[in-house]
Amino acid sequence: MCAVGTGPDDLGARVEFPTTTPEETIRRVVEFFRERGKREKLSAVGVASFGPIDLHPGSPHFGYITSTPKPGWQNTDLVGPLRRALGVPVGFDTDVNGAALAEGLWGAAQKLDSFVYVTIGTGIGGGGVVEKKLIHGALHPEMGHMNVAHDWRQDPFAGVCPFHGDCWEGLCSGPAIEKRWGKKAEELPADHPAWELEAHYLALGVMNLVSTLSPQRIILGGGVMRHQELFPLARQKTVELLKGYIQIPEITERIDEYIVPPKLGENAGVLGAIALALGC
Ligand code: ZN
């Protein structure tokens, strides 16, 4: 998805095309921005990418997609071709780090110093801001691959993560729901036991994030979270799991404002890229 603009109130025409081969996809991105750049001067480009990616400025592979399972995309230089073709600075980060930045600037985490954005859809990914800085560390967080408690008697499902089986993504993503119950999430009725179990796994992941990063808010987005009934269930189960140990008013008094949906909706990804460009 490509767009030109400066924020949610100034988001020009969006175009969307499928991610095919790196050559074709990058060529279409360059064509879009060259065309748009004739009308409005581009000052920077931001790329919010699926990962894993190399974000180390000194690395020979900075700006590359690295060990992704996506066929054909291993070791692909994304930043280099864009910078050479467009001649502007390129901001680069993971799609979820971009979305976290955007939610902090314009969405559900405005004015907060520390928060986490998690998307639960075809996979699970998370971006964290701690004390006003995006977390990168040695690589970038891979929150979807946290290990969460898996009670095999309650849930004998082995999980769908190709690397770990029953990590958080393996148990709690959209494909996990579909494979466990034999139906897509959107086909399951609101009173299906799938939702109770899904909320349980959401709460386990949220509990780990609360315990490790001490966020002031947790934003849960992605296709699975369009099932709004998950929010009250996940909040209640998070409070139960924490067992009163973490005594902060965000959790003990204002849990409804603590675990929240994103505010930028469908535009979170592309606004994340704009947020990265603004940071150039
Ligand atoms: Zn995994």
Side-chain angles (χ1 to χ4, degrees):
M1 188 184 290
C2 298
V4 175
T6 55
D9 301 326
D10 166 36
L11 195 55
R14 277 188 347 184
V15 296
E16 235 179 298
F17 40 81
T19 306
T20 56
T21 62
E23 296 73 26
E24 186 188 8
T25 311
I26 293 170
R27 182 176 51 73
R28 294 188 73 174
V29 171
V30 167
E31 276 169 13
F32 169 80
F33 285 114
R34 276 199 175 137
E35 194 49 44
R36 296 287 303 195
K38 287 178 191 165
R39 281 174 268 168
E40 300 155 275
K41 186 170 157 29
L42 301 179
S43 44
V45 169
V47 182
S49 171
F50 63 87
I53 59 180
D54 189 336
L55 292 168
H56 287 286
S59 158
H61 294 114
F62 170 80
Y64 278 55
I65 291 174
T66 59
S67 57
T68 178
K70 204 182 268 289
W73 282 83
Q74 291 88 8
N75 303 311
T76 296
D77 185 7
L78 258 186
V79 168
L82 294 176
R83 192 184 280 146
R84 284 191 294 274
L86 301 168
V88 292
V90 178
F92 185 54
D93 214 315
T94 61
D95 43 11
V96 282
N97 268 350
L101 265 191
E103 289 289 340
L105 280 173
W106 305 298
Q110 288 175 68
K111 301 193 178 83
L112 298 180
D113 294 343
S114 301
F115 60 92
V116 179
Y117 169 90
V118 184
T119 175
I120 298 111
T122 54
I124 296 183
V129 170
V130 173
E131 290 165 4
K132 300 186 178 165
K133 281 191 71 176
L134 268 178
I135 306 168
H136 291 113
L139 176 70
H140 44 72
E142 284 286 355
M143 297 176 189
H145 300 274
M146 284 192 290
N147 207 338
V148 293
H150 179 195
D151 180 343
W152 287 83
R153 284 164 306 170
Q154 185 201 11
D155 176 27
F157 179 61
V160 296
C161 176
F163 291 89
H164 317 113
D166 62 349
C167 63
W168 196 26
E169 175 173 302
L171 292 172
C172 193
S173 61
I177 298 175
E178 183 175 349
K179 194 158 181 202
R180 182 187 288 112
W181 301 104
K183 270 187 177 167
K184 283 188 189 303
E186 53 266 33
E187 292 164 11
L188 296 169
D191 60 353
H192 194 281
W195 300 117
E196 185 87 15
L197 187 64
E198 181 67 10
H200 170 71
Y201 286 127
L202 286 171
L204 284 170
V206 165
M207 178 181 177
N208 289 350
L209 295 169
V210 171
S211 311
T212 49
L213 299 178
S214 187
Q216 294 160 302
R217 183 166 294 155
I218 296 183
I219 303 166
L220 301 179
V224 170
M225 298 313 298
R226 285 193 204 121
H227 300 269
Q228 292 289 321
E229 65 271 24
L230 279 172
F231 280 94
L233 275 175
R235 288 173 186 135
Q236 179 203 334
K237 286 180 185 296
T238 300
V239 171
E240 285 167 15
L241 282 172
L242 287 168
K243 296 190 189 294
Y245 180 67
I246 295 180
Q247 287 289 329
I248 50 172
E250 285 89 339
I251 291 174
T252 57
E253 294 165 24
R254 300 192 291 271
I255 191 75
D256 290 358
E257 298 164 37
Y258 189 70
I259 299 171
V260 299
K263 279 215 175 121
L264 301 173
E266 306 273 294
N267 286 331
V270 80
L271 286 168
I274 289 175
L276 293 170
L278 290 173
C280 282

